[in-house]
Amino acid sequence: MRPLFIRRARQLVTLAGSSAAPLVREKMNDLQIIENGSVWIERGVIIAVGPDDELAHRFADRISEADVIDARGKTVTPGLIDPHTHLVYAGSREHEWTMRLRGATYMEIMNAGGGIHATTKATREASEEMLYEESKRRLDLFLLHGVTTVEAKSGYGLSLEGEIKQLEVAKRLHDTHPVDVVSTFLGAHAVPPEWKDDRDGYIRLIMEVMIPEVSRRGLAEFNDVFCERGVFTPDEARRILEAGKAHGLTPKIHADEIEPYGGAELAAEVGAISADHLLRASDEGLRRMAERGVIGVLLPGTAFFLMTQAADARRLIDNGVPVALATDCNPGSSPTVSLPLVMSLACLHMRMTPAEALAAATINAAHAIGRSHVIGSLEPGKKADLAIFNAANYMQIMYYYGVNHTEMVIKDGKIVVNEGKVCI
């Protein structure tokens, strides 16, 4: 494998120096940008980062053996990281959109048999091969938008067999696709209809059967719960998350999306790596999250699609909560794979600066999935995951919203997207 030399980027956004702890408060605006910057890569690993003249001198006798990419006029960033997706599912729910546009709420649609339950039915009925092919197409689209790592949740099986099928597909995608897939078990996404008269029985199934089997097979790193009134209570969520911890699964939590419900406080209590959504989180909950270093994963695309007020990112940042951004890609409330669009929405609807948004979609997102030591910044020793944008500076990636500026993506030192086309 020949070395790769990326040269003369107008802006090389490194985010160096943030691997040990996520960026918080004003530090989220410090992107560690190198003008006219270059990167030397060997065997899938970043060897050197710096001004072009320095690297050209250092590797002068080896440039002829390298593949050289001229990034003049372009912006180079770490590969984008999406720390909250529901990547693996079958079917589509655009018919619910009209219901929502006529005033139906998320919970009303779900309680009428739509929402999560509709996708669960389609996912259960899909063969593993169908589920793989449909999810692979989505993963290709993530890659085309500069994303090199995604977290993927189960939660549309809601049975032992269904959850295992989703997680097996996610593992197969990780093994066969350039994008790294980090798996989360979300058996506590909803109580399926067949358990509606015995919700505690379903919770015992999650705790005593699903979690041990997922752990035994090594199919997930994280355990997530949708903690919301009408779904799982804070006490139920606590029991499920503690059961996951006993089997080596790190807690995550869908928290305080629809109303203040103690989700942020619970995330701090159980030592969750992240609490996600947080539209209605209390000040006390945010204070506790900041004290424990829990990442707040914000999902402005979901609020945008549900036509509701987005989370107050400024409140989180000012309270010292480390903030990450994600698409929440799913068929009902955020059917998008565009993390650059989500960054634009974070600026427009959550009052984040472009620098904060980019930090939240790279190094802080890496912290939210326990990968900050290998991805999320451009530094020697890290994986060579990079995105090259046809933009004169990082702000243009978000300023010209709804446009895919991704020109090239490099994954593990290999070009996997070139001129807007997947080449794998």
Side-chain angles (χ1 to χ4, degrees):
M1 185 176 177
R2 289 164 59 89
L4 193 63
F5 191 18
I6 302 170
R7 302 195 63 180
R8 307 184 188 93
R10 183 163 181 176
Q11 283 193 339
L12 182 66
V13 184
T14 71
L15 291 133
S18 306
S19 299
L23 294 170
V24 296
R25 292 193 171 95
E26 67 278 358
K27 292 181 180 178
M28 289 188 70
N29 287 287
D30 186 5
L31 301 182
Q32 296 291 310
I33 294 172
I34 300 173
E35 305 285 344
N36 196 37
S38 297
V39 184
W40 184 274
I41 296 165
E42 293 187 40
R43 297 180 296 279
V45 176
I46 296 172
I47 302 299
V49 178
D52 183 72
D53 55 354
E54 289 184 10
L55 266 63
H57 177 74
R58 176 177 170 181
F59 295 101
D61 59 347
R62 299 191 58 202
I63 293 177
S64 61
E65 65 185 76
D67 292 324
V68 178
I69 296 173
D70 188 346
R72 276 180 290 195
K74 310 291 171 51
T75 296
V76 179
T77 75
L80 302 181
I81 299 162
D82 195 328
H84 183 131
T85 84
H86 301 259
L87 172 71
V88 179
Y89 65 85
S92 183
R93 303 209 315 253
E94 63 274 3
H95 58 283
E96 294 177 6
W97 199 21
T98 300
M99 296 171 63
R100 189 178 300 117
L101 292 171
R102 289 175 173 168
T105 68
Y106 179 89
M107 294 302 295
E108 286 171 346
I109 291 170
M110 190 171 83
N111 291 333
I116 292 168
H117 298 315
T119 300
T120 296
K121 184 176 184 295
T123 303
R124 286 176 172 180
E125 291 174 352
S127 69
E128 186 170 321
E129 191 61 31
M130 289 171 58
L131 202 54
Y132 172 82
E133 290 297 332
E134 190 170 337
S135 303
K136 179 181 178 295
R137 287 192 290 272
R138 277 189 289 275
L139 205 53
D140 286 345
L141 292 173
F142 272 108
L143 186 62
L144 286 168
H145 286 82
V147 174
T148 51
T149 300
V150 302
E151 181 259 18
K153 303 179 190 295
S154 63
Y156 292 128
L158 303 185
S159 67
L160 177 62
E161 298 77 12
E163 292 293 298
I164 293 296
K165 179 171 69 172
Q166 275 192 276
L167 291 169
E168 290 281 10
V169 168
K171 182 178 185 298
R172 183 178 167 194
L173 288 167
H174 174 74
D175 292 341
T176 60
H177 197 279
V179 175
D180 287 334
V181 179
V182 179
S183 290
T184 294
F185 170 65
L186 182 57
H189 199 190
V191 176
E194 64 268 25
W195 288 92
K196 67 179 181 179
D197 295 325
D198 186 13
R199 60 180 295 109
D200 201 56
Y202 182 66
I203 291 169
R204 289 197 305 273
L205 178 70
I206 292 171
M207 295 170 58
E208 298 171 10
V209 179
M210 292 188 187
I211 286 174
E213 185 63 12
V214 167
S215 176
R216 186 186 71 80
R217 297 189 185 207
L219 290 175
E221 292 183 37
F222 303 102
N223 178 33
D224 200 344
V225 179
F226 190 2
C227 181
E228 198 68 59
R229 192 179 303 281
V231 191
F232 293 94
T233 69
D235 181 64
E236 291 167 342
R238 181 184 296 104
R239 291 165 55 200
I240 293 166
L241 295 173
E242 291 292 350
K245 287 169 65 176
H247 287 274
L249 302 181
T250 301
K252 284 180 170 284
I253 185 168
H254 284 56
D256 303 318
E257 178 182 6
I258 299 171
E259 63 177 270
Y261 202 52
E265 290 89 337
L266 179 60
E269 176 189 334
V270 300
I273 193 169
S274 75
D276 303 18
H277 287 291
L278 300 171
L279 280 71
R280 306 289 182 259
S282 70
D283 289 338
E284 177 62 17
L286 296 183
R287 184 188 68 78
R288 294 185 192 179
M289 283 179 58
E291 287 179 351
R292 294 295 301 272
V294 180
I295 310 290
V297 178
L298 303 185
L299 311 166
T302 308
F304 175 71
F305 196 73
L306 294 178
M307 299 176 291
T308 190
Q309 180 66 43
D312 188 348
R314 288 263 57 86
R315 186 164 67 104
L316 271 75
I317 293 170
D318 292 345
N319 274 280
V321 176
V323 168
L325 289 172
T327 61
D328 192 20
C329 172
N330 75 80
S333 62
S334 188
T336 184
V337 296
S338 177
L339 199 49
L341 174 60
V342 165
M343 290 191 287
S344 296
L345 294 175
C347 298
L348 295 169
H349 290 177
M350 300 199 309
R351 299 188 297 154
M352 292 179 73
T353 67
E356 291 169 340
L358 185 54
T362 51
I363 190 61
N364 279 10
H367 280 282
I369 55 172
R371 293 292 192 282
S372 63
H373 58 296
V374 289
I375 56 175
S377 61
L378 303 181
E379 300 179 80
K382 285 200 168 183
K383 292 177 67 170
D385 293 359
L386 304 91
I388 301 177
F389 295 97
N390 189 13
N393 56 67
Y394 74 89
M395 288 182 285
Q396 288 188 355
I397 299 169
M398 289 155 266
Y399 183 76
Y400 293 103
Y401 69 94
V403 178
N404 186 8
H405 301 275
T406 311
E407 183 171 285
M408 182 177 290
V409 180
I410 295 158
K411 178 65 182 171
D412 293 322
K414 299 177 182 178
I415 299 171
V416 291
V417 171
N418 193 15
E419 295 182 346
K421 297 179 181 178
V422 175
C423 47
I424 54 177

